[in-house]
Amino acid sequence: MEKLAGQNKKKSFREPGTDSTYLIKTENLSKIYPIGLTTLTALDNINLAFVKGDFAGLVGPSGSGKTTLLNILGSLDSPTTGSAVVMGKKVETLTHREAAGLRNHHIGFIFQTFNLLPVYSVYENVEFPLLLQNFSSSGRKKLVMDALEWVGLADRAFSKPLQLSGGQSQRVAIARAIVKNPELVLADEPTANLDAENSRNIMDTMARLNENLKTTFIFATHDEKVMRYLKRIITLNDGRVAKDERAAGEGT
Amino acid sequence: MLIIKLALKNILGAGLRTWLNVIALSFSFVAIIYMQGLYNGMSDQMEKIAIEAEYAGGQYWHSSYDPFDPLTLDDAHGKIPDNLHTLIDRGEAIPILIRAASIYPNGRFQNALLKGIPPDQKILSIPSGVLENGGTSIPALIGGRMARSTGLKKGDYLTVRWRDTNGTFDADEFFISNIMKTDDSAIDNGQLWIPLEKMREMMDMKGEATIVVLKSGSRFAENAGGWNHKNLEFLMKDIRALFLTKSIGGSIFYIILLLLAMLALFDTQILSIFRRRKEMGTLMALGMTRGTLIQLFTLEGAIHSVLAAVAAAIYGIPLLTYSARTGFGLPESTDDFGLAIGNRIFPSFTGALVAGSILLVLTVTTIVSYLPARKIAKLEPTDALRGKMT
Ligand SMILES: Nc1ncnc2c1ncn2[C@@H]1O[C@H](COP(=O)(O)OP(=O)(O)O)[C@@H](O)[C@H]1O
Ligand SMILES: [Mg+2]
């Protein structure tokens, strides 16, 4: 585990003129979708900042813009107007290739539906981001096994995703997100397909990672069980930030 | 390297669909190679037969001789140039005299070609030995097709009329000394082979010939007093052209087969790109670029044909080896197609043929795989993750 933490020797690639106090900062960020002849404002003038070590959640009803915002912060999408600076990079100016590089090296994703690659083993799924980074094979092995140990699935390394329960699948997805020791992990409704016990289990895991590695986590959720873990809750309503509050403490 | 590994894993993980495509493609491989091998074998055999029966080591033609213009035949004879004569004396060439004549089999008039050949020659596969001693009448050798079309049989007599070198008509009874079975219709249809010296007497053309055929393997190519050297390359041109058109006609069959296999692959590719968009979204989220994704999906399609080549080798090598050894029997009637092939074709599979076919199928599969994969270039990661495709 110390290895995972110590592996953090990434080249700084902050753009000049961006604020280095924040891991993420949005300015007047809006996302507008054309719907036929009219438009739909999915995000409306969002101004938010996140610092290293945040364990924050975007909460709000379905359709409030949580996924849209998370995708922009993950450079999977870009704002229609305004700006999102993520680790010194202006998302709206990145080329497709640069965005892919940013995600590959610095951002882990966790999805509601796990999104494991079914033909690969657990080990290979976790190894995948490292393969994309052209890691040496000995380097890969150590990191993959460390990550699997973090989520308690080292003994299932050679299982196929279809042989795993939902909770185990999501833990594999967490291992895959953290194996490259990213600064940022984005999790979109990670517990929506899990029962209470598994939800608690994976939230415990992520809280531990946040505690030990100072990895920043941002969730999109409307799950009470998740909210209890959050250190910061940002409430979205109709694409606007309705509330942004520090939580009293971690739940169990 | 990475995408090759990924592509292999993906298509092996895809199961039945992969194997159906692989089997369909492997049929194309084997069919293309088999058909081409058959045509190669055919062309080889046609050339071999023509060389044995007509061309040997090439020919010299009298300056007026043109096999495609019968009207020139009257003038197409002359004294054999000295250097060719030396070859003939050494047994390295034979003279042939060709003249038009009229024949009256069963009283019916018919045009024919008289061909004078030295009975003791060994250069062409024509069994001219039967012309050695014809007794009082002039012995003539004809082919099986000629015998059938005229109704002539061995031992029959036949009235033949010709004009000698001065244009004077003359006629005589010929005696059919033998009927040869030959695969080459070019020495058969409408022709009577007779002893050269006898023919020279009849025509009053002492020491003359129309063509001189060189011994096979002959390198001789000197100028010969106005006679034109025709090498094998030239003489074989017609056969090769004929073979080419036949082979193009025949390839329609395997083009259809190839198209069907391509359609199956194209369909699989489209379906796979459509069904796997969430996977593509995931790969993009993990940091794979669209360019790599396109390569990956194209490669997955192309690997089908690599697997197909392996599958084709497993059953194709024994199959093709067997067919090359036992040949392919032709029905009797193919004789009348005008192809001098013989009644059994032995397909010939060369390395170039096999490599060329593999390259062809590989290229086509790669293109067919790339076309649908291009769609990925416009795919937004967010749409892909939501399972949407525009
Ligand atoms: N690609 C899109 N095209 C049009 N509308 C979209 C698209 N993506 C999201 N939306 C709309 O934007 C709004 C916010 O969606 P989303 O971010 O998915 O909300 P949440 O994750 O909070 O449920 C919704 O009204 C949704 O219908
Ligand atoms: Mg959502």
Tab-separated table of all heavy atoms in Angstrom, chain B residues 183-237:
chain	number	residue	atom	x	y	z
B	183	ASP	N	-4.481	-34.858	-77.611
B	183	ASP	CA	-5.196	-33.867	-76.819
B	183	ASP	C	-5.174	-32.508	-77.498
B	183	ASP	O	-5.879	-31.590	-77.084
B	183	ASP	CB	-4.545	-33.738	-75.440
B	183	ASP	CG	-4.764	-34.990	-74.611
B	183	ASP	OD1	-5.861	-35.583	-74.728
B	183	ASP	OD2	-3.846	-35.381	-73.870
B	184	ASP	N	-4.341	-32.373	-78.536
B	184	ASP	CA	-4.155	-31.060	-79.144
B	184	ASP	C	-4.929	-30.970	-80.453
B	184	ASP	O	-4.530	-31.538	-81.470
B	184	ASP	CB	-2.662	-30.829	-79.389
B	184	ASP	CG	-2.384	-29.399	-79.811
B	184	ASP	OD1	-3.361	-28.639	-80.024
B	184	ASP	OD2	-1.197	-29.043	-79.923
B	185	SER	N	-6.036	-30.233	-80.415
B	185	SER	CA	-6.863	-30.147	-81.616
B	185	SER	C	-6.158	-29.382	-82.736
B	185	SER	O	-6.533	-29.483	-83.890
B	185	SER	CB	-8.198	-29.483	-81.296
B	185	SER	OG	-7.960	-28.199	-80.769
B	186	ALA	N	-5.118	-28.623	-82.391
B	186	ALA	CA	-4.432	-27.824	-83.400
B	186	ALA	C	-3.626	-28.679	-84.378
B	186	ALA	O	-3.213	-28.201	-85.430
B	186	ALA	CB	-3.513	-26.805	-82.732
B	187	ILE	N	-3.377	-29.961	-84.057
B	187	ILE	CA	-2.692	-30.822	-85.026
B	187	ILE	C	-3.665	-31.860	-85.580
B	187	ILE	O	-3.263	-32.835	-86.195
B	187	ILE	CB	-1.479	-31.544	-84.398
B	187	ILE	CG1	-1.923	-32.430	-83.231
B	187	ILE	CG2	-0.424	-30.541	-83.943
B	187	ILE	CD1	-0.865	-33.447	-82.824
B	188	ASP	N	-4.950	-31.609	-85.352
B	188	ASP	CA	-5.948	-32.640	-85.623
B	188	ASP	C	-6.994	-32.144	-86.627
B	188	ASP	O	-7.025	-32.603	-87.776
B	188	ASP	CB	-6.570	-33.028	-84.275
B	188	ASP	CG	-7.590	-34.144	-84.380
B	188	ASP	OD1	-8.151	-34.332	-85.463
B	188	ASP	OD2	-7.842	-34.822	-83.363
B	189	ASN	N	-7.791	-31.190	-86.208
B	189	ASN	CA	-8.924	-30.748	-87.036
B	189	ASN	C	-8.505	-30.339	-88.443
B	189	ASN	O	-7.670	-29.479	-88.622
B	189	ASN	CB	-9.628	-29.563	-86.363
B	189	ASN	CG	-10.410	-30.000	-85.149
B	189	ASN	OD1	-10.919	-31.126	-85.100
B	189	ASN	ND2	-10.497	-29.126	-84.145
B	190	GLY	N	-9.094	-30.977	-89.449
B	190	GLY	CA	-8.895	-30.582	-90.850
B	190	GLY	C	-7.500	-30.812	-91.384
B	190	GLY	O	-7.099	-30.148	-92.338
B	191	GLN	N	-6.745	-31.721	-90.779
B	191	GLN	CA	-5.352	-31.878	-91.218
B	191	GLN	C	-4.999	-33.299	-91.604
B	191	GLN	O	-5.492	-34.264	-91.023
B	191	GLN	CB	-4.417	-31.421	-90.095
B	191	GLN	CG	-4.642	-29.967	-89.757
B	191	GLN	CD	-3.788	-29.528	-88.608
B	191	GLN	OE1	-2.641	-29.966	-88.489
B	191	GLN	NE2	-4.338	-28.674	-87.763
B	192	LEU	N	-4.139	-33.395	-92.612
B	192	LEU	CA	-3.580	-34.684	-93.015
B	192	LEU	C	-2.065	-34.588	-92.945
B	192	LEU	O	-1.463	-33.710	-93.577
B	192	LEU	CB	-3.981	-35.025	-94.455
B	192	LEU	CG	-5.444	-35.360	-94.700
B	192	LEU	CD1	-6.091	-34.276	-95.508
B	192	LEU	CD2	-5.562	-36.707	-95.389
B	193	TRP	N	-1.493	-35.434	-92.118
B	193	TRP	CA	-0.029	-35.464	-92.017
B	193	TRP	C	0.498	-36.524	-92.985
B	193	TRP	O	0.083	-37.683	-92.947
B	193	TRP	CB	0.399	-35.797	-90.587
B	193	TRP	CG	0.030	-34.721	-89.614
B	193	TRP	CD1	-1.148	-34.577	-88.975
B	193	TRP	CD2	0.852	-33.632	-89.204
B	193	TRP	NE1	-1.145	-33.457	-88.182
B	193	TRP	CE2	0.087	-32.852	-88.302
B	193	TRP	CE3	2.154	-33.222	-89.505
B	193	TRP	CZ2	0.584	-31.697	-87.715
B	193	TRP	CZ3	2.650	-32.075	-88.909
B	193	TRP	CH2	1.864	-31.321	-88.018
B	194	ILE	N	1.435	-36.102	-93.858
B	194	ILE	CA	1.962	-37.030	-94.852
B	194	ILE	C	3.494	-36.920	-94.866
B	194	ILE	O	4.045	-35.964	-94.319
B	194	ILE	CB	1.374	-36.752	-96.255
B	194	ILE	CG1	1.711	-35.324	-96.703
B	194	ILE	CG2	-0.144	-36.953	-96.258
B	194	ILE	CD1	1.248	-35.011	-98.114
B	195	PRO	N	4.182	-37.891	-95.490
B	195	PRO	CA	5.656	-37.839	-95.497
B	195	PRO	C	6.146	-36.618	-96.263
B	195	PRO	O	5.640	-36.317	-97.356
B	195	PRO	CB	6.068	-39.130	-96.215
B	195	PRO	CG	4.848	-39.988	-96.217
B	195	PRO	CD	3.678	-39.093	-96.170
B	196	LEU	N	7.090	-35.926	-95.677
B	196	LEU	CA	7.557	-34.654	-96.228
B	196	LEU	C	8.092	-34.799	-97.653
B	196	LEU	O	7.715	-34.038	-98.548
B	196	LEU	CB	8.645	-34.066	-95.321
B	196	LEU	CG	9.278	-32.766	-95.824
B	196	LEU	CD1	8.254	-31.637	-95.863
B	196	LEU	CD2	10.473	-32.360	-94.974
B	197	GLU	N	8.983	-35.812	-97.880
B	197	GLU	CA	9.606	-35.931	-99.198
B	197	GLU	C	8.568	-36.208	-100.281
B	197	GLU	O	8.611	-35.644	-101.373
B	197	GLU	CB	10.684	-37.018	-99.195
B	197	GLU	CG	11.999	-36.586	-98.534
B	197	GLU	CD	12.504	-35.219	-99.016
B	197	GLU	OE1	12.354	-34.893	-100.230
B	197	GLU	OE2	13.027	-34.447	-98.175
B	198	LYS	N	7.583	-37.018	-99.930
B	198	LYS	CA	6.493	-37.333	-100.857
B	198	LYS	C	5.749	-36.043	-101.230
B	198	LYS	O	5.439	-35.770	-102.398
B	198	LYS	CB	5.557	-38.340	-100.186
B	198	LYS	CG	4.523	-38.936	-101.088
B	198	LYS	CD	5.155	-40.012	-101.963
B	198	LYS	CE	4.269	-40.229	-103.201
B	198	LYS	NZ	5.006	-40.984	-104.247
B	199	MET	N	5.483	-35.247	-100.225
B	199	MET	CA	4.731	-34.008	-100.439
B	199	MET	C	5.523	-33.036	-101.308
B	199	MET	O	4.966	-32.360	-102.174
B	199	MET	CB	4.397	-33.369	-99.085
B	199	MET	CG	3.544	-32.111	-99.203
B	199	MET	SD	2.806	-31.682	-97.623
B	199	MET	CE	2.289	-30.000	-97.948
B	200	ARG	N	6.851	-32.963	-101.059
B	200	ARG	CA	7.685	-32.081	-101.865
B	200	ARG	C	7.616	-32.480	-103.342
B	200	ARG	O	7.530	-31.621	-104.221
B	200	ARG	CB	9.132	-32.133	-101.375
B	200	ARG	CG	9.339	-31.301	-100.109
B	200	ARG	CD	10.707	-31.571	-99.522
B	200	ARG	NE	11.055	-30.597	-98.486
B	200	ARG	CZ	12.095	-30.738	-97.658
B	200	ARG	NH1	12.875	-31.814	-97.755
B	200	ARG	NH2	12.349	-29.820	-96.766
B	201	GLU	N	7.629	-33.794	-103.572
B	201	GLU	CA	7.502	-34.272	-104.965
B	201	GLU	C	6.179	-33.834	-105.569
B	201	GLU	O	6.122	-33.284	-106.671
B	201	GLU	CB	7.541	-35.803	-105.004
B	201	GLU	CG	8.917	-36.424	-105.132
B	201	GLU	CD	8.826	-37.932	-104.897
B	201	GLU	OE1	7.854	-38.569	-105.405
B	201	GLU	OE2	9.691	-38.468	-104.170
B	202	MET	N	5.078	-34.091	-104.782
B	202	MET	CA	3.730	-33.769	-105.272
B	202	MET	C	3.623	-32.295	-105.652
B	202	MET	O	2.984	-31.926	-106.627
B	202	MET	CB	2.695	-34.046	-104.167
B	202	MET	CG	2.370	-35.499	-103.936
B	202	MET	SD	1.699	-35.778	-102.243
B	202	MET	CE	0.540	-34.440	-102.071
B	203	MET	N	4.262	-31.461	-104.847
B	203	MET	CA	4.105	-30.018	-104.994
B	203	MET	C	5.179	-29.414	-105.899
B	203	MET	O	5.150	-28.223	-106.171
B	203	MET	CB	4.219	-29.342	-103.616
B	203	MET	CG	3.198	-29.835	-102.623
B	203	MET	SD	1.560	-29.321	-103.095
B	203	MET	CE	0.568	-30.256	-101.959
B	204	ASP	N	6.147	-30.261	-106.255
B	204	ASP	CA	7.298	-29.770	-107.000
B	204	ASP	C	8.033	-28.684	-106.193
B	204	ASP	O	8.283	-27.583	-106.678
B	204	ASP	CB	6.847	-29.210	-108.364
B	204	ASP	CG	8.039	-29.030	-109.301
B	204	ASP	OD1	9.141	-29.539	-108.960
B	204	ASP	OD2	7.874	-28.361	-110.336
B	205	MET	N	8.292	-28.991	-104.934
B	205	MET	CA	8.931	-28.030	-104.027
B	205	MET	C	10.136	-28.686	-103.372
B	205	MET	O	10.233	-28.785	-102.152
B	205	MET	CB	7.943	-27.576	-102.945
B	205	MET	CG	6.765	-26.785	-103.488
B	205	MET	SD	5.605	-26.386	-102.194
B	205	MET	CE	4.323	-25.539	-103.129
B	206	LYS	N	11.058	-29.109	-104.181
B	206	LYS	CA	12.251	-29.803	-103.670
B	206	LYS	C	12.974	-28.957	-102.621
B	206	LYS	O	13.255	-27.783	-102.843
B	206	LYS	CB	13.220	-30.077	-104.828
B	206	LYS	CG	13.064	-31.450	-105.445
B	206	LYS	CD	14.128	-32.449	-105.055
B	206	LYS	CE	13.800	-33.861	-104.691
B	206	LYS	NZ	12.691	-34.238	-103.955
B	207	GLY	N	13.245	-29.546	-101.447
B	207	GLY	CA	14.031	-28.868	-100.416
B	207	GLY	C	13.315	-27.712	-99.721
B	207	GLY	O	13.911	-26.961	-98.960
B	208	GLU	N	12.006	-27.590	-99.992
B	208	GLU	CA	11.303	-26.443	-99.408
B	208	GLU	C	10.537	-26.829	-98.143
B	208	GLU	O	10.318	-28.007	-97.855
B	208	GLU	CB	10.344	-25.843	-100.450
B	208	GLU	CG	11.070	-25.245	-101.643
B	208	GLU	CD	10.157	-24.418	-102.525
B	208	GLU	OE1	9.050	-24.058	-102.081
B	208	GLU	OE2	10.584	-24.133	-103.662
B	209	ALA	N	10.143	-25.789	-97.396
B	209	ALA	CA	9.320	-25.996	-96.206
B	209	ALA	C	8.539	-24.714	-95.927
B	209	ALA	O	8.801	-23.667	-96.527
B	209	ALA	CB	10.179	-26.358	-94.996
B	210	THR	N	7.557	-24.808	-95.034
B	210	THR	CA	6.805	-23.623	-94.603
B	210	THR	C	7.303	-23.149	-93.234
B	210	THR	O	7.472	-21.967	-92.983
B	210	THR	CB	5.300	-23.935	-94.524
B	210	THR	OG1	4.892	-24.442	-95.794
B	210	THR	CG2	4.497	-22.696	-94.182
B	211	ILE	N	7.517	-24.139	-92.357
B	211	ILE	CA	8.078	-23.804	-91.049
B	211	ILE	C	9.175	-24.802	-90.705
B	211	ILE	O	9.229	-25.899	-91.271
B	211	ILE	CB	7.021	-23.800	-89.917
B	211	ILE	CG1	6.402	-25.188	-89.733
B	211	ILE	CG2	5.921	-22.783	-90.195
B	211	ILE	CD1	5.463	-25.282	-88.542
B	212	VAL	N	10.035	-24.384	-89.777
B	212	VAL	CA	11.033	-25.292	-89.236
B	212	VAL	C	10.834	-25.286	-87.717
B	212	VAL	O	10.756	-24.221	-87.100
B	212	VAL	CB	12.458	-24.825	-89.605
B	212	VAL	CG1	13.499	-25.605	-88.805
B	212	VAL	CG2	12.693	-24.997	-91.097
B	213	VAL	N	10.698	-26.485	-87.164
B	213	VAL	CA	10.484	-26.580	-85.715
B	213	VAL	C	11.794	-26.966	-85.040
B	213	VAL	O	12.424	-27.961	-85.414
B	213	VAL	CB	9.407	-27.643	-85.391
B	213	VAL	CG1	9.170	-27.703	-83.887
B	213	VAL	CG2	8.115	-27.340	-86.129
B	214	LEU	N	12.190	-26.167	-84.050
B	214	LEU	CA	13.443	-26.439	-83.346
B	214	LEU	C	13.223	-27.486	-82.263
B	214	LEU	O	12.138	-27.587	-81.681
B	214	LEU	CB	13.970	-25.147	-82.689
B	214	LEU	CG	14.237	-23.969	-83.623
B	214	LEU	CD1	14.597	-22.734	-82.807
B	214	LEU	CD2	15.357	-24.308	-84.597
B	215	LYS	N	14.266	-28.227	-82.020
B	215	LYS	CA	14.263	-29.209	-80.943
B	215	LYS	C	13.945	-28.520	-79.607
B	215	LYS	O	14.357	-27.387	-79.375
B	215	LYS	CB	15.674	-29.796	-80.880
B	215	LYS	CG	15.840	-30.982	-79.998
B	215	LYS	CD	17.233	-31.496	-80.212
B	215	LYS	CE	17.836	-31.941	-78.900
B	215	LYS	NZ	19.144	-32.541	-79.121
B	216	SER	N	13.241	-29.210	-78.752
B	216	SER	CA	12.855	-28.535	-77.507
B	216	SER	C	14.096	-28.209	-76.683
B	216	SER	O	15.052	-28.976	-76.653
B	216	SER	CB	11.870	-29.393	-76.724
B	216	SER	OG	12.555	-30.292	-75.937
B	217	GLY	N	14.052	-27.053	-76.058
B	217	GLY	CA	15.205	-26.580	-75.298
B	217	GLY	C	16.238	-25.874	-76.159
B	217	GLY	O	17.247	-25.387	-75.650
B	218	SER	N	15.969	-25.772	-77.437
B	218	SER	CA	16.935	-25.140	-78.342
B	218	SER	C	17.122	-23.669	-78.012
B	218	SER	O	16.166	-22.962	-77.693
B	218	SER	CB	16.454	-25.280	-79.781
B	218	SER	OG	17.276	-24.513	-80.639
B	219	ARG	N	18.394	-23.243	-78.066
B	219	ARG	CA	18.686	-21.828	-77.816
B	219	ARG	C	18.869	-21.068	-79.129
B	219	ARG	O	19.161	-19.890	-79.126
B	219	ARG	CB	19.987	-21.718	-77.012
B	219	ARG	CG	19.902	-22.322	-75.633
B	219	ARG	CD	19.353	-21.306	-74.641
B	219	ARG	NE	19.345	-21.829	-73.289
B	219	ARG	CZ	20.428	-21.876	-72.520
B	219	ARG	NH1	21.572	-21.444	-72.978
B	219	ARG	NH2	20.351	-22.360	-71.297
B	220	PHE	N	18.776	-21.801	-80.225
B	220	PHE	CA	19.077	-21.219	-81.530
B	220	PHE	C	18.125	-20.060	-81.823
B	220	PHE	O	16.910	-20.187	-81.698
B	220	PHE	CB	18.945	-22.291	-82.613
B	220	PHE	CG	19.420	-21.843	-83.962
B	220	PHE	CD1	20.761	-21.935	-84.305
B	220	PHE	CD2	18.536	-21.317	-84.894
B	220	PHE	CE1	21.207	-21.528	-85.545
B	220	PHE	CE2	18.972	-20.896	-86.132
B	220	PHE	CZ	20.319	-21.000	-86.468
B	221	ALA	N	18.681	-18.891	-82.211
B	221	ALA	CA	17.831	-17.733	-82.499
B	221	ALA	C	18.461	-16.837	-83.555
B	221	ALA	O	18.131	-15.661	-83.653
B	221	ALA	CB	17.576	-16.955	-81.211
B	222	GLU	N	19.373	-17.398	-84.366
B	222	GLU	CA	20.067	-16.593	-85.390
B	222	GLU	C	19.104	-16.113	-86.465
B	222	GLU	O	18.035	-16.692	-86.660
B	222	GLU	CB	21.148	-17.447	-86.072
B	222	GLU	CG	22.342	-17.768	-85.203
B	222	GLU	CD	23.269	-18.776	-85.904
B	222	GLU	OE1	23.185	-18.895	-87.144
B	222	GLU	OE2	24.041	-19.438	-85.191
B	223	ASN	N	19.529	-15.078	-87.184
B	223	ASN	CA	18.792	-14.699	-88.391
B	223	ASN	C	18.895	-15.844	-89.384
B	223	ASN	O	19.917	-16.504	-89.474
B	223	ASN	CB	19.408	-13.450	-89.018
B	223	ASN	CG	19.012	-12.217	-88.249
B	223	ASN	OD1	17.961	-12.192	-87.612
B	223	ASN	ND2	19.857	-11.190	-88.290
B	224	ALA	N	17.777	-16.058	-90.097
B	224	ALA	CA	17.797	-17.171	-91.041
B	224	ALA	C	17.167	-16.713	-92.346
B	224	ALA	O	15.999	-16.990	-92.620
B	224	ALA	CB	17.068	-18.379	-90.468
B	225	GLY	N	17.914	-15.971	-93.124
B	225	GLY	CA	17.556	-15.561	-94.483
B	225	GLY	C	16.095	-15.204	-94.687
B	225	GLY	O	15.419	-15.792	-95.521
B	226	GLY	N	15.624	-14.266	-93.900
B	226	GLY	CA	14.255	-13.797	-94.133
B	226	GLY	C	13.178	-14.629	-93.435
B	226	GLY	O	12.017	-14.260	-93.415
B	227	TRP	N	13.564	-15.772	-92.889
B	227	TRP	CA	12.592	-16.533	-92.106
B	227	TRP	C	12.499	-15.917	-90.719
B	227	TRP	O	13.488	-15.427	-90.170
B	227	TRP	CB	13.000	-17.998	-92.008
B	227	TRP	CG	12.790	-18.759	-93.302
B	227	TRP	CD1	13.162	-18.355	-94.540
B	227	TRP	CD2	12.157	-20.022	-93.450
B	227	TRP	NE1	12.809	-19.282	-95.481
B	227	TRP	CE2	12.180	-20.338	-94.827
B	227	TRP	CE3	11.571	-20.937	-92.574
B	227	TRP	CZ2	11.625	-21.509	-95.341
B	227	TRP	CZ3	11.041	-22.108	-93.077
B	227	TRP	CH2	11.058	-22.389	-94.460
B	228	ASN	N	11.276	-15.935	-90.150
B	228	ASN	CA	11.073	-15.261	-88.859
B	228	ASN	C	11.140	-16.241	-87.697
B	228	ASN	O	10.447	-17.260	-87.709
B	228	ASN	CB	9.712	-14.567	-88.835
B	228	ASN	CG	9.583	-13.574	-89.956
B	228	ASN	OD1	10.512	-12.820	-90.238
B	228	ASN	ND2	8.441	-13.611	-90.657
B	229	HIS	N	11.966	-15.897	-86.728
B	229	HIS	CA	12.043	-16.735	-85.528
B	229	HIS	C	10.847	-16.446	-84.627
B	229	HIS	O	10.547	-15.295	-84.324
B	229	HIS	CB	13.352	-16.447	-84.777
B	229	HIS	CG	13.531	-17.301	-83.560
B	229	HIS	ND1	13.990	-16.812	-82.371
B	229	HIS	CD2	13.290	-18.614	-83.365
B	229	HIS	CE1	14.027	-17.795	-81.486
B	229	HIS	NE2	13.607	-18.900	-82.079
B	230	LYS	N	10.140	-17.478	-84.235
B	230	LYS	CA	9.017	-17.332	-83.294
B	230	LYS	C	9.363	-18.139	-82.063
B	230	LYS	O	9.367	-19.381	-82.108
B	230	LYS	CB	7.721	-17.869	-83.913
B	230	LYS	CG	7.350	-17.227	-85.250
B	230	LYS	CD	6.961	-15.786	-85.067
B	230	LYS	CE	6.581	-15.162	-86.413
B	230	LYS	NZ	6.370	-13.707	-86.281
B	231	ASN	N	9.648	-17.430	-80.965
B	231	ASN	CA	9.997	-18.184	-79.760
B	231	ASN	C	8.744	-18.677	-79.036
B	231	ASN	O	7.624	-18.333	-79.405
B	231	ASN	CB	10.894	-17.347	-78.844
B	231	ASN	CG	10.201	-16.075	-78.402
B	231	ASN	OD1	8.978	-15.960	-78.517
B	231	ASN	ND2	10.970	-15.125	-77.902
B	232	LEU	N	8.958	-19.470	-78.008
B	232	LEU	CA	7.824	-20.065	-77.295
B	232	LEU	C	6.912	-18.999	-76.693
B	232	LEU	O	5.691	-19.135	-76.696
B	232	LEU	CB	8.333	-20.981	-76.175
B	232	LEU	CG	8.754	-22.377	-76.625
B	232	LEU	CD1	9.179	-23.192	-75.421
B	232	LEU	CD2	7.604	-23.076	-77.343
B	233	GLU	N	7.537	-17.943	-76.199
B	233	GLU	CA	6.772	-16.834	-75.620
B	233	GLU	C	5.687	-16.379	-76.597
B	233	GLU	O	4.510	-16.255	-76.258
B	233	GLU	CB	7.759	-15.682	-75.338
B	233	GLU	CG	7.277	-14.649	-74.365
B	233	GLU	CD	7.054	-15.247	-72.992
B	233	GLU	OE1	7.875	-16.087	-72.539
B	233	GLU	OE2	6.043	-14.878	-72.388
B	234	PHE	N	6.116	-16.176	-77.849
B	234	PHE	CA	5.194	-15.717	-78.883
B	234	PHE	C	4.150	-16.789	-79.213
B	234	PHE	O	2.956	-16.518	-79.275
B	234	PHE	CB	5.994	-15.359	-80.141
B	234	PHE	CG	5.134	-15.029	-81.323
B	234	PHE	CD1	4.666	-13.741	-81.526
B	234	PHE	CD2	4.768	-16.032	-82.233
B	234	PHE	CE1	3.861	-13.450	-82.612
B	234	PHE	CE2	3.948	-15.738	-83.321
B	234	PHE	CZ	3.502	-14.442	-83.511
B	235	LEU	N	4.631	-18.013	-79.402
B	235	LEU	CA	3.733	-19.085	-79.832
B	235	LEU	C	2.683	-19.393	-78.769
B	235	LEU	O	1.578	-19.819	-79.070
B	235	LEU	CB	4.553	-20.338	-80.140
B	235	LEU	CG	5.505	-20.196	-81.335
B	235	LEU	CD1	6.493	-21.339	-81.371
B	235	LEU	CD2	4.707	-20.142	-82.639
B	236	MET	N	3.041	-19.161	-77.523
B	236	MET	CA	2.172	-19.528	-76.406
B	236	MET	C	1.170	-18.429	-76.052
B	236	MET	O	0.323	-18.617	-75.197
B	236	MET	CB	3.061	-19.808	-75.196
B	236	MET	CG	2.678	-21.027	-74.436
B	236	MET	SD	3.021	-22.501	-75.335
B	236	MET	CE	4.627	-22.837	-74.653
B	237	LYS	N	1.325	-17.278	-76.710
B	237	LYS	CA	0.508	-16.124	-76.348
B	237	LYS	C	-0.987	-16.432	-76.383
B	237	LYS	O	-1.734	-16.072	-75.466
B	237	LYS	CB	0.813	-14.963	-77.306
B	237	LYS	CG	1.009	-13.663	-76.580
B	237	LYS	CD	1.680	-12.596	-77.407
B	237	LYS	CE	1.195	-12.552	-78.842
B	237	LYS	NZ	2.058	-11.735	-79.703
